């Protein structure tokens, strides 16, 4: 897909309306099946880069049959909208934060727990462990969509317009934007701030107009979404490692002939690998830009007081969703493995 996004935006409503009415995404004028993928990041973001690689990979193998179109920057709507469009088959795939998926299936609550993973190595190993992700990724099939791979979205931390966050007490009375998930709202309540759930695309304006005092996200939000133009303090409290999830419409996926399905599966692996390879450098570059060009100050508070407040949520959520316990325990094994590695110096 190489088109002008502005033109697309105007025509998209009509296209999606037509496909929603027929219950499926459409065929192109050249007879190829158009495969639409939506996400909410800008075109400089690792997610977009990885999806363009997916497009190239699948089209290099099946380009006579499929035309992959990647729509960035919420062109197809907010993440919640896009999940619904994927559910009905109006579009074929979208990237949604694990937080948003919690409102579609309780199982996704697991990866939203604050301080669930004790290191990024344990996070990556857990998300690569299909014994953990498989049942959760399949659990929305009845609802019409399934997860096909996960995407690294780093570590989430608090950032504010003008209040340095050095301890939970500093959050008191501050309106902090969180993603629309009950777990995130509860986490914010426990930490003493006032949770303001809203879609990602609304955050910049809300910060600028002082409707909120801050937000929480990885470093990319400062640069790629411009939040560092307004927020001058970014505080590494490390409260969550929340993956993004690429989800696909089940009817589309199940309708693929075996050999085509395999190509798509290989493409999903490409998304995961390319995005992860891009991520580390992208975060480094974002930090440098935020510090040197946007004047953001990075703070490194003691994370223990934040963690002590949030840790009770693990027990509460496991009591609420006992089916998640085996997966939670399997994550603890990965946590242990990496702690031992660190202690043993390997
Ligand atoms: C990250 C994440 C997105 C999510 C956003 C948010 O950028 O990658 O999927 O939408 O956070 O906070 O809403």
């Amino acid at each position: 897909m190489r088109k002008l996004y502005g033109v697309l935006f105007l025509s998209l409503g009509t296209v999606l309306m037509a496909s929603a009415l027929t219950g499926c995404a459409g065929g192109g004028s050249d007879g190829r099946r158009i495969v639409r993928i939506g996400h909410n990041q800008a075109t400089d973001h690792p997610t977009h880069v990885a999806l363009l690689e997916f497009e190239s990979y699948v089209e290099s193998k099946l380009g006579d049959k499929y035309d992959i179109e990647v729509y960035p920057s919420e062109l197809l709507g907010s993440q919640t909208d896009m999940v619904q469009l994927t559910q009905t088959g109006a579009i074929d795939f979208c990237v949604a934060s694990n937080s948003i998926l919690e409102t579609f299936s309780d199982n996704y609550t697991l990866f939203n727990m604050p301080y669930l993973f004790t290191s990024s190595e344990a996070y990556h190993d857990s998300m690569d462990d299909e014994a953990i992700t498989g049942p959760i990724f399949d659990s929305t099939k009845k609802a019409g969509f399934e997860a096909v791979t996960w995407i690294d979205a780093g570590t989430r931390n608090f950032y504010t317009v003008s209040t340095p966050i050095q301890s939970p007490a500093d959050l008191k009375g501050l309106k902090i934007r969180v993603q629309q998930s009950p777990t995130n709202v509860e986490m914010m309540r426990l930490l003493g701030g006032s949770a303001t759930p809203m879609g990602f695309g609304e955050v910049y304006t809300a910060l600028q107009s002082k409707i909120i005092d801050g937000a929480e996200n990885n470093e990319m939000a400062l640069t790629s979404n411009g939040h560092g133009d307004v927020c001058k303090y970014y505080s590494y409290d490390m409260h969550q490692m929340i993956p993004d999830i690429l989800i696909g419409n089940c009817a589309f996926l199940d309708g693929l002939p075996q050999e085509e399905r395999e190509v798509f599966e290989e493409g999903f692996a490409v998304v995961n690998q390319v995005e992860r390879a891009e991520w580390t450098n992208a975060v480094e570059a974002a930090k440098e830009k935020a510090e040197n060009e946007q004047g953001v100050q990075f703070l490194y508070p003691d994370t223990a007081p934040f963690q002590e407040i949030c840790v009770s949520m693990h027990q509460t959520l496991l009591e609420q969703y006992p089916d998640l316990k085996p997966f939670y325990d399997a994550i603890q094994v990965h946590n242990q493995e990496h702690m031992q590695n660190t202690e043993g110096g390997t």
Side-chain angles (χ1 to χ4, degrees), residues 40-41 45 79 96-97 153 156 177 179 200 216-218 244:
N40 69 357
Q41 304 291 357
H45 193 279
Q79 281 190 342
S97 169
R156 297 183 78 96
R177 178 267 174 173
Q179 290 176 284
F200 196 35
E216 50 79 54
N217 213 321
N218 60 58
D244 282 336

Side-chain angles (χ1 to χ4, degrees), residues 39-41 45 47 74 79 95-100 151-154 156 159 177-180 184 198-201 203 215-218 220-221 225 227 242-245 275 279:
H39 69 89
N40 69 357
Q41 304 291 357
H45 193 279
T47 293
E74 295 196 4
Q79 281 190 342
V95 178
S97 169
N98 185 83
S99 289
I100 295 301
I151 293 173
D152 196 357
R156 297 183 78 96
Y159 54 94
R177 178 267 174 173
V178 294
Q179 290 176 284
Q180 305 103 310
N184 292 338
M198 65 176 73
F200 196 35
V203 181
E216 50 79 54
N217 213 321
N218 60 58
M220 293 295 294
N225 306 92
H227 298 179
I242 297 190
D244 282 336
I245 311 284
E275 198 272 351
W279 182 258

Side-chain angles (χ1 to χ4, degrees), residues 202-281:
E202 298 165 60
V203 181
Y204 183 86
T205 317
L207 286 167
Q208 216 182 24
S209 56
K210 302 210 165 27
I211 290 171
I212 51 175
D213 302 298
E216 50 79 54
N217 213 321
N218 60 58
E219 299 87 335
M220 293 295 294
L222 298 172
T223 53
S224 191
N225 306 92
H227 298 179
D229 294 342
V230 192
C231 293
K232 297 303 164 198
Y233 296 100
Y234 187 95
S235 185
Y236 279 105
D237 69 291
M238 314 288 280
H239 57 262
Q240 282 162 321
M241 295 177 195
I242 297 190
D244 282 336
I245 311 284
L246 178 62
I247 64 162
N249 174 263
C250 289
F252 173 72
L253 287 165
D254 294 344
L256 290 171
Q258 183 59 26
E259 61 283 5
E260 292 182 7
R261 175 75 187 239
E262 276 163 25
V263 173
F264 274 83
E265 294 292 341
E266 287 156 15
F268 303 145
V270 167
V271 174
N272 176 279
Q273 285 150 19
V274 170
E275 198 272 351
R276 278 162 83 169
E278 293 279 322
W279 182 258
T280 317
N281 289 343

Side-chain angles (χ1 to χ4, degrees), residues 18-89:
S19 35
L21 289 174
T22 58
C24 63
S29 56
D30 59 5
R32 292 190 299 162
R33 167 70 158 77
I34 296 174
V35 176
R36 294 191 180 87
I37 310 178
H39 69 89
N40 69 357
Q41 304 291 357
T43 51
D44 64 351
H45 193 279
T47 293
H48 189 69
V49 175
L51 288 170
L52 291 185
E53 284 297 320
F54 174 82
E55 175 182 349
S56 303
Y57 183 82
V58 174
E59 289 187 354
S60 75
K61 306 265 179 183
L62 300 170
D64 53 332
K65 296 190 72 174
Y66 296 98
D67 177 12
I68 313 288
E69 297 188 343
V70 182
Y71 295 87
S73 311
E74 295 196 4
L75 282 171
L76 300 186
S78 69
Q79 281 190 342
T80 304
D81 295 336
M82 287 190 284
V83 175
Q84 283 162 354
L85 292 171
T86 307
Q87 215 171 358
T88 61

Side-chain angles (χ1 to χ4, degrees), residues 80 98-106 108-109 112 180-182:
T80 304
N98 185 83
S99 289
I100 295 301
L101 294 179
E102 181 183 316
T103 56
F104 291 84
S105 163
D106 293 338
Y108 282 95
T109 307
N112 291 336
Q180 305 103 310
S181 109

